[in-house]
């Protein structure tokens, strides 16, 4: 965007940078989006280049009053405000450093506004006081901001109407347009001043949190390095942990009911591995009716023979011991 800034006038450079700044403010992209971060970085470079050009040209002097500043140069007072705002929008590993630099630009902008008397000293002190403001003060502050915004909108409309009736090359010499332009620029600076006060408060809180986090991180790293160094210089002897009598007794009790040979396979796996052990025996042939009758006759014959042998060996009445008792 800014590769041609070196060939432009200071006014054209400012208009180009401000246009890019407004586009960033109105962008719907997230702050961490790479494309938006690239635009923020480029716009920041443009304003910083413009800042150097204003210093080299000697647009402002240290002892001049607000009335001595040319109306066309008033807008350059806003450069530190734009730079500080863009710095707070940068999201990278150097965010803490960006915030500290942004605070420096805000302080410089506020000091210059106070010295030139952009607003009264009493109002400036009331605006920049650190203590918590009460409800009525917040209401008054909000009402003042609305008044400034409304007046800026009216002045912008007047500038637009005047620019249509006056030739562009004669605008700066026209007293009516110059008066409207000056009031517009001063109110824009006042609006930026009020925003910068809130921005400074936010920067201070964020710097405090990030610094605390950084300090804790550094302390943790230092403690770790110290522990590692002490461990190398004074190595500790290994600690032998001997089981107590109670734990040894518990181990023996648990071993009593512990199976010695744990199964290595399930019943289904064993049956698949040894199918011959689980094959049913072939059915025995059934005897025919004649064979069954012959078998029955032989059994009856054997029983009769056994009974005859027993009778021969035991005379009648031999087993009746009560037979001769008279």
């Amino acid at each position: 965007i800014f590769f041609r800034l070196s060939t432009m006038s200071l006014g054209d450079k400012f208009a180009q940078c401000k246009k890019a700044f407004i586009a960033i403010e109105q962008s719907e992209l997230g702050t961490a989006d790479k494309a938006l971060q690239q635009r923020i970085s480029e716009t920041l470079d443009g304003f910083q280049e413009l800042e150097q050009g204003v210093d080299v040209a000697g647009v402002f002097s240290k002892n001049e009053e607000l009335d001595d500043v040319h109306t066309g140069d008033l807008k350059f007072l806003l450069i530190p405000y734009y730079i500080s705002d863009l710095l707070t929008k940068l999201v990278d590993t150097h965010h803490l450093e960006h915030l500290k630099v942004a605070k420096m630009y805000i302080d410089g902008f506020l000091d210059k506004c106070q010295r030139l008397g952009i607003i009264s000293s009493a109002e400036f002190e009331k605006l920049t006081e650190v203590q918590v403001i009460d409800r009525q003060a917040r209401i008054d502050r909000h009402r003042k901001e609305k008044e400034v915004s409304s007046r800026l909108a009216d002045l912008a409309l007047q500038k637009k109407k005047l620019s249509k009736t006056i030739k562009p090359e004669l605008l700066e010499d026209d007293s009516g347009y110059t008066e409207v332009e000056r009031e517009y620029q001063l109110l824009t600076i006042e609006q930026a001043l009020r925003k910068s006060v809130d921005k400074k408060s936010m920067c201070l809180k964020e710097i405090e949190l990030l610094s605390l986090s950084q300090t804790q991180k550094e302390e943790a790293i230092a403690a770790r390095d110290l522990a590692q160094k002490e461990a190398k210089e004074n190595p500790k002897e290994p600690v032998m942990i001997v089981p107590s009598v109670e734990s040894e007794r518990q181990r023996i009790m648990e071993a009593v009911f512990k199976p010695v040979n744990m199964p290595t396979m399930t019943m289904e796996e064993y049956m698949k591995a040894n199918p011959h052990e689980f094959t049913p025996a072939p059915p025995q042939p059934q005897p025919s009716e004649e064979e069954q009758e012959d078998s029955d006759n032989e059994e009856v014959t054997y029983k009769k023979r056994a009974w005859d042998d027993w009778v021969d060996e035991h005379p009648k009445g031999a087993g009746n011991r009560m037979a001769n008792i008279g």
Side-chain angles (χ1 to χ4, degrees):
I1 299 175
F2 304 106
F3 61 91
R4 295 180 181 174
L5 286 183
S6 58
T7 62
M8 297 180 182
S9 65
L10 292 178
D12 292 338
K13 287 181 181 180
F14 183 87
Q16 184 80 355
C17 292
K18 184 178 179 181
K19 182 179 178 182
F21 179 85
I22 294 173
I24 292 171
E25 289 285 295
Q26 297 176 349
S27 175
E28 296 180 356
L29 297 175
T31 306
D33 186 85
K34 290 184 179 180
L36 183 61
Q37 284 294 306
Q38 179 67 22
R39 289 161 60 183
I40 291 173
S41 180
E42 291 176 353
T43 307
L44 179 60
D45 292 341
F47 272 114
Q48 289 175 337
E49 181 183 332
L50 178 60
E51 179 187 29
Q52 293 176 1
V54 171
D55 290 340
V56 171
V59 175
F60 302 110
S61 62
K62 294 182 179 180
N63 299 323
E64 66 182 346
E65 301 293 334
L66 182 60
D67 294 338
D68 299 331
V69 180
H70 190 273
T71 300
D73 295 336
L74 285 173
K75 56 180 174 290
F76 298 130
L77 293 173
L78 291 166
I79 293 176
Y81 163 74
Y82 289 124
I83 291 177
S84 64
D85 192 272
L86 290 168
L87 282 169
T88 61
K89 288 180 169 63
L90 284 176
V91 180
D92 54 23
T93 55
H94 304 288
H95 189 55
L96 179 58
E97 288 74 13
H98 294 325
L99 288 174
K100 291 179 179 179
V101 176
K103 179 183 172 299
M104 290 173 53
Y105 272 99
I106 292 174
D107 289 337
F109 176 64
L110 294 178
D111 290 343
K112 199 158 195 174
C113 289
Q114 183 181 21
R115 185 178 63 80
L116 291 174
I118 299 297
I119 58 177
S120 64
S121 299
E123 188 176 0
F124 186 87
E125 290 180 4
K126 187 177 180 181
L127 183 64
T128 57
E129 61 186 359
V130 180
Q131 67 262 28
V132 180
I133 56 178
D134 56 16
R135 181 173 179 273
Q136 186 59 43
R138 288 197 298 269
I139 293 174
D140 295 341
R141 183 171 172 179
H142 181 66
R143 184 175 62 250
K144 182 64 177 179
E145 290 173 355
K146 288 185 66 176
E147 291 176 358
V148 171
S149 298
S150 177
R151 180 58 181 164
L152 279 172
D154 293 340
L155 291 172
L157 186 60
Q158 291 182 37
K159 285 175 57 179
K160 187 176 181 180
K161 290 180 179 179
L162 288 172
S163 63
K164 291 180 179 180
T165 59
I166 304 172
K167 293 181 179 181
E169 62 272 13
L170 300 177
L171 283 175
E172 293 186 1
D173 297 330
D174 186 83
S175 60
Y177 181 84
T178 302
E179 184 179 349
V180 173
E181 174 67 15
R182 189 172 188 84
E183 184 181 359
Y184 178 83
Q185 293 296 342
L186 289 175
L187 280 178
T188 302
I189 296 171
E190 180 182 343
Q191 187 182 53
L193 185 152
R194 296 179 183 278
K195 290 181 179 179
S196 293
V197 172
D198 295 334
K199 185 72 70 174
K200 179 180 178 179
S201 177
M202 184 220 44
C203 283
L204 289 173
K205 291 178 181 178
E206 197 167 354
I207 288 172
E208 182 180 359
L209 290 175
L210 291 176
S211 299
L212 179 61
S213 176
Q214 184 69 21
T215 302
Q216 292 175 342
K217 183 178 179 180
E218 292 174 354
E219 290 177 352
I221 293 174
R224 182 199 63 189
D225 294 341
L226 180 61
Q228 291 177 351
K229 183 179 179 182
E230 291 179 350
K232 290 180 179 179
E233 294 176 352
N234 303 311
K236 296 181 180 179
E237 297 182 357
V239 179
M240 300 296 293
I241 302 177
V242 180
S244 62
V245 177
E246 198 66 31
S247 61
E248 183 67 15
R249 182 181 301 169
Q250 182 69 21
R251 185 188 66 78
I252 296 173
M253 290 176 60
E254 292 176 352
V256 170
F257 300 100
K258 184 177 181 180
V260 179
N261 297 323
M262 297 295 291
T264 59
M265 63 177 66
T266 62
M267 286 296 297
E268 290 77 5
E269 293 173 344
Y270 183 80
M271 291 174 66
K272 290 180 180 179
N274 303 278
H276 59 280
E277 296 185 12
F278 298 92
T279 303
Q284 297 294 330
Q286 296 295 328
S288 62
E289 292 183 2
E290 294 180 357
E291 291 176 348
Q292 185 66 33
E293 290 180 0
D294 293 340
S295 177
D296 293 342
N297 292 335
E298 289 180 1
E299 186 177 352
V300 172
T301 302
Y302 287 138
K303 285 184 179 181
K304 286 183 178 181
R305 288 179 182 176
W307 175 252
D308 292 340
D309 292 339
W310 188 86
V311 170
D312 292 340
E313 293 175 0
H314 300 84
K316 186 177 180 179
N320 187 1
R321 297 181 179 179
M322 302 297 294
N324 297 323
I325 298 176

